Amino acid sequence: MRLLFLGDLVGRSGRQAAIDVLPRLVDRHKIDFVIVNGENAAAGFGITEEILQDVLDAGADVVTTGNHVWDQRDTLVYIERQDRLLRPLNFPPGAPGRGANLFTARNGARILVMNVMGRVFMDSLDDPFTAVDRVLEATPLGRVADAIVIDMHAEATSEKQAMGHFADGRATLVVGTHTHVPTADHQILPGGTAYMSDAGMCGDYDSVLGMEKDEPISRFLRKIPSGRFTPASGEASVCGVAVEVDEATGLARAVEPLRIGGRLSQVLPSSWAEG
């Protein structure tokens, strides 16, 4: 079974690049399930229902979010009717929407997806480790779920790595989002869980984390905002991670980064020969 995870969509350039490439990737490489982090898809801040539907129509099975989930105020309403949009699992009780859900892949497999947010250098939510553990205990890999993916939306690499090892052997993939820079540490942990500290963004890499450069640089130099952050609009790279799953165990057999177009060279899993 083949899983694909795409990092944070940033603005029009990033979301359109992902929408354009997804149908071809799914068809050419026989991908069974696709997860996309869409929390920066609407002008860099949140995701509208229209954009969400465009991403789902392009081939995504689930869209995850993070700290910008409520930036588009309508999300507070429409997330209740969109069960394929996840917000961080560890929001306090009473938050609209859901942070985990069980989905059916193209091959009929049951895929549990969790979206959880870290607490280091971020707005503090409930304990992400306790929240993840509760869902893993209730929906164990190999019994209730055929594969489990955890989107760990966090600033600190240490917190992401800790989540990877915490879930090792109990999840198929733990992948970090939020920092928008693809890391080179993709690996299979000792217990069989695929891990990558950050999937990177789908966006214009001639930027500062997907934003036009002048305003972020000005704020570092002057410590005074002079305008709004605006998503960079140049050619985007599509970045993420691909996982080959052992269907007998639900654990990872192979993990490789995906980087297509823009300023980053294309990297596809060598085992995914065009067929």
Side-chain angles (χ1 to χ4, degrees):
M1 177 165 58
R2 292 172 174 178
L3 307 180
L4 178 64
F5 184 99
L6 297 186
D8 312 42
L9 306 183
V10 181
R12 181 186 299 273
S13 178
R15 74 174 186 258
Q16 194 58 54
I19 287 169
D20 289 345
V21 79
L22 257 180
R24 174 170 56 87
L25 285 175
V26 170
D27 181 64
R28 182 174 297 178
H29 300 287
K30 304 298 184 284
I31 297 170
D32 297 297
F33 197 79
V34 178
I35 304 159
V36 177
N37 185 293
E39 76 140 10
N40 301 117
F45 300 93
I47 185 168
T48 66
E49 189 169 20
E50 181 180 2
I51 292 173
L52 169 67
Q53 194 60 55
D54 288 343
V55 176
L56 294 174
D57 290 345
D61 296 287
V62 183
V63 175
T64 55
T65 56
N67 56 302
H68 289 293
V69 60
W70 310 126
D71 284 6
Q72 301 294 321
R73 304 307 298 174
D74 288 351
T75 308
L76 289 162
V77 176
Y78 82 74
I79 196 171
E80 293 285 8
R81 61 175 176 266
Q82 291 282 2
D83 62 357
R84 292 199 283 168
L85 178 67
L86 299 182
R87 47 85 172 157
L89 176 68
N90 51 325
F91 268 103
R98 57 201 61 76
N101 211 349
L102 198 63
F103 303 92
T104 302
R106 291 167 182 80
N107 65 344
R110 301 160 299 173
I111 314 294
L112 173 66
V113 182
M114 274 186 268
N115 188 188
V116 65
M117 198 161 95
R119 299 192 292 182
V120 179
F121 309 127
M122 300 186 75
D123 291 340
S124 186
L125 299 182
D126 293 346
D127 177 15
F129 294 89
T130 299
V132 166
D133 189 58
R134 187 181 304 118
V135 176
L136 289 175
E137 288 293 320
T139 319
L141 183 64
R143 287 162 48 197
V144 179
D146 298 306
I148 297 176
V149 178
I150 301 172
D151 175 351
M152 178 62 171
H153 197 80
E155 184 77 35
T157 300
S158 57
E159 194 174 19
K160 297 178 186 182
Q161 289 181 335
M163 180 61 75
H165 290 290
F166 180 73
D168 188 20
R170 300 191 290 165
T172 309
L173 169 67
V174 176
V175 58
T177 56
H178 178 67
T179 53
H180 293 196
V181 177
T183 54
D185 62 339
H186 56 283
Q187 60 183 293
I188 297 177
L189 300 174
T193 294
Y195 173 82
M196 188 173 178
S197 290
D198 202 281
M201 68 175 178
C202 296
D204 178 6
Y205 278 79
D206 184 16
S207 66
V208 176
L209 303 184
M211 297 295 164
E212 293 286 358
K213 294 173 283 190
D214 288 350
E215 180 61 21
I217 292 172
S218 175
R219 293 192 190 189
F220 281 116
L221 291 173
R222 302 174 63 238
K223 295 297 183 182
I224 300 172
S226 59
R228 291 175 56 84
F229 285 132
T230 304
S233 57
E235 183 184 359
S237 299
V238 173
C239 291
V241 61
V243 179
E244 191 88 36
V245 183
D246 184 334
E247 296 185 18
T249 65
L251 297 171
R253 291 197 304 199
V255 56
E256 294 196 44
L258 177 142
R259 297 170 191 170
I260 300 175
R263 300 176 69 87
L264 301 185
S265 60
Q266 179 169 331
V267 179
L268 282 171
S270 57
S271 60
W272 290 21
E274 296 183 14

